[in-house]
Each structure stands twice: as structure tokens, then as C-alpha cells.
Amino acid sequence: ITEIAGLYERAGEDLPFRLPERWLAAQAKLNPQQPFNLVTTNDAIGGVSGAPLINKSGEIAGLVFDLNREGLGGYYAYDPTVSISVGALREVLAKVYGAERMVEELR
């Protein structure tokens, strides 16, 4: 798990670590301890980016967006999958983008 604080710790002037102005302006509003990304071993394959990550209670736990290096080699086993946590989605949608309606849908 990484936290929102890690995003700002790695941010810089050069790509790929340059943050948009609205993210820089929202830094003080965001909870730095909010888990941001997480890695799971759920069944995933290339092309599932944007799929919901569902926990055992049937709740949205995150949004799948990538496989890590170990997951790129094969599709015959449960490979590590990288997702953004639903808590980070709610935090960013509310405090960076002002998208309260979407936040309510994620509750």
C-alpha cells in the first residue's frame, strides 16, 4: 500500500512525477495517510483497467488500473494487480475535483 503522502513526496518538476496545479493546490486538504494504491493477487488480465476491485463483502474496494512487472509475463495464475483504493478515489474526487455526487455513489 502507498499513501497520498507518497504521491507528494515523489512529485517533482519533471515527468512522470509532475503533478497538475489542481493537485498541488489541494495538497493541504487531502489526508496524507489515506491509502492510495494497493496490490492484490486477484485474477486479472490485460484489458481490465478501470474494472472495480470488489472485496469479499461485495463492496467496491478500489479500481484496477495495472499489472506489475511480475504480472505481465503470464495469464495462467493469480498475478499481482495494482489498484487505486476506493478511499483515495473518494478523497480525490471530493477534495481535488469537487465531484460530491460521484463520491456518494461510491459510498
Side-chain angles (χ1 to χ4, degrees):
I1 292 177
T2 58
E3 297 174 338
I4 287 178
L7 173 75
Y8 290 98
E9 289 168 7
R10 289 173 185 82
E13 293 297 318
D14 298 321
L15 292 175
F17 301 105
R18 186 180 329 146
L19 293 175
E21 286 300 320
R22 82 179 341 167
W23 280 75
L24 294 172
Q27 182 177 2
K29 296 186 242 176
L30 295 169
N31 174 3
Q33 284 81 40
Q34 170 61 53
F36 195 80
N37 295 336
L38 60 139
V39 175
T40 61
T41 55
N42 57 299
D43 192 13
I45 192 167
V48 299
S49 294
L53 178 65
I54 307 296
N55 68 17
K56 67 181 180 180
S57 299
E59 303 162 328
I60 297 174
L63 182 79
V64 175
F65 69 88
D66 202 1
L67 299 173
N68 69 12
R69 185 181 323 169
E70 290 79 10
L72 295 175
Y75 299 117
Y76 304 104
Y78 292 107
D79 294 320
T81 302
V82 182
S83 302
I84 185 169
S85 76
V86 73
L89 285 172
R90 287 192 295 250
E91 184 86 1
V92 169
L93 286 171
K95 297 177 182 175
V96 176
Y97 296 102
E100 290 295 334
R101 184 171 172 214
M102 291 181 75
V103 173
E104 286 305 313
E105 287 185 32
L106 290 171
R107 290 186 209 273

